[in-house]
Amino acid sequence: MRDQLENLRSGAKQAIAATSTVEQLQEIRISLLGRKGELTALMKGLGAMDAADRPVIGQLVNAVRDDIESLLSSAIESAQEQAIAARLQDERIDVSLPGRRSQKGTKHPITLVIEEVCAIFSGLGFSVAEGPEIEHDWYNFEALNFPPEHPARDMQDTFFVGNNLLLRTHTSPVQIRTMLKQKPPVRIIAPGTVYRCDSDATHSPMFHQIEGLMVDTKVTFGDLKGVLTVFTNQLFGQKTGVRLRPSYFPFTEPSAEVDIACVICGGKGCRVCKNSGWLEILGAGMVDPEVYRHVQYDAEQISGFAFGMGIERIAMLKYGISDMRLLFENDVRFLRQF
Ligand code: PHE
């Protein structure tokens, strides 16, 4: 019995020393000290022993049990400490590592041009007006003096939505909407998206225009030329030449197309201006009395001018972009340059 107890003690010592996880140590405790454990089994043998030996062996049993118990609890304690230390190491966060930077976007060149043009005209007392992109035929054509079946409608390849609705082909319907809402004096610019069934290196089915309208008493063609000269000088530089060529729009009379001296060659002639020295940037004219009739303005009392320009074209000239499609692809390598 004595030997068995000593063997049990030294076996337990070795087993505990060789074990490092809390779970395995718990299993050892059960297999030695549990109700069906080895030590418990030995204790059951005590009853069959000589009454004289019993107290001595009994003490030894207690001593062995206390020994194993204390070995186990200190082993479990250190296994727990090690587990915590390992977990802390695993989940360690280096707070001194640099963070991930979020990428900052840039404004699209179209937005930049719209903002710059609006800023120039707001300095001249114009305020910004807006209108819908899905428009009634009446605002887009009829009220602007394009009668039904009039050949001038072919100037703009229209996307029809159905039932007299279409995607506006220009920002000019905003003129009509504004004049229907307010009496003269009117001084607005209207930036926005417009649509035409047309697509190549210099045309896109969706593009942007800025419309301008000024109506008051005694507004003259000279005022139109003055406003546009101030505008082109501010946008393209102080000495940019400007010229007006006679043109035709149903809603203006007289009408003009406005050119600036080529920003690439300065007027000498190059590939961009097709050797003419001039670049067309907008259409303009004095508002036709027929338009005033549609918005109940008295053409005898007032006069005014309107102009409209394509933003993509201006952005291409201003930033030297050769293909309009670059403006719509949204390649960040392109956009980051602005
Ligand atoms: N709306 C015309 C176009 O898209 C431009 C324009 C506007 C011309 C205002 C004259 C006056 O072609």
Side-chain angles (χ1 to χ4, degrees), residues 51-320:
D53 290 340
R54 234 182 273 161
V56 187
I57 299 296
Q59 268 176 6
L60 185 59
V61 168
N62 284 340
V64 169
R65 196 194 48 221
D66 291 350
D67 240 16
I68 295 177
E69 194 62 80
S70 81
L71 279 174
L72 274 171
S73 37
S74 69
I76 287 176
E77 201 178 305
S78 77
Q80 278 168 339
E81 274 166 16
Q82 270 172 28
I84 290 174
R87 212 177 125 194
L88 284 176
Q89 184 62 33
D90 264 10
E91 296 175 6
R92 204 171 137 233
I93 295 171
D94 184 351
V95 290
S96 67
L97 279 176
R100 277 190 206 103
R101 274 171 203 276
S102 55
Q103 288 211 7
K104 224 195 255 166
T106 54
K107 282 188 182 168
H108 194 281
I110 296 297
T111 308
L112 291 175
V113 171
I114 291 177
E115 285 180 356
E116 190 171 351
V117 172
C118 286
I120 293 171
F121 281 105
S122 97
L124 294 170
F126 287 71
S127 54
V128 174
E130 282 179 321
E133 287 170 33
I134 296 178
E135 191 53 283
H136 292 275
D137 181 286
W138 190 82
Y139 292 97
N140 194 83
F141 288 128
E142 189 102 14
L144 288 162
N145 197 29
F146 291 81
E149 317 301 334
H150 192 279
R153 290 188 179 215
D154 288 345
M155 288 163 73
Q156 309 183 346
D157 300 292
T158 312
F159 287 114
F160 291 95
V161 179
N163 218 2
N164 281 327
L165 286 179
L166 42 81
L167 297 182
R168 67 177 177 194
T169 57
H170 52 179
T171 42
S172 303
V174 182
Q175 291 183 28
I176 303 299
R177 289 181 173 274
T178 305
M179 288 190 281
L180 284 172
K181 262 190 296 204
Q182 73 183 78
K183 295 277 149 236
V186 171
R187 231 188 293 183
I188 55 137
I189 48 164
T193 311
V194 300
Y195 303 85
R196 290 184 199 180
C197 189
D198 205 350
S199 183
D200 59 36
T202 52
H203 295 89
S204 155
M206 184 278 289
F207 61 104
H208 300 81
Q209 287 190 335
I210 292 189
E211 189 82 9
L213 174 70
M214 174 165 174
V215 182
D216 203 342
T217 51
K218 301 189 186 113
V219 175
T220 67
F221 202 90
D223 295 323
L224 170 60
K225 196 173 174 187
V227 164
L228 291 179
T229 305
V230 169
F231 165 66
T232 51
N233 285 347
Q234 287 199 29
L235 191 66
F236 291 103
Q238 213 33 255
K239 289 196 188 78
T240 311
V242 181
R243 81 173 180 188
L244 278 71
R245 279 179 293 108
S247 185
Y248 171 77
F249 299 102
F251 40 92
T252 48
E253 181 60 34
S255 303
E257 250 151 332
V258 179
D259 297 343
I260 56 167
C262 179
V263 289
I264 309 293
C265 63
K268 286 189 208 75
C270 70
R271 199 176 51 83
V272 174
C273 60
K274 300 198 182 83
N275 279 315
S276 69
W278 296 95
L279 298 166
E280 184 198 321
I281 60 157
L282 54 84
M286 302 305 290
V287 178
D288 193 293
E290 195 58 24
V291 174
Y292 292 136
R293 195 177 62 78
H294 280 105
V295 297
Q296 283 94 49
Y297 273 17
D298 184 353
E300 303 295 322
Q301 302 295 314
I302 46 98
S303 59
F305 61 74
F307 55 87
M309 67 192 101
I311 305 301
E312 279 75 3
R313 183 161 169 76
I314 290 185
M316 288 169 79
L317 296 174
K318 199 170 156 63
Y319 299 119

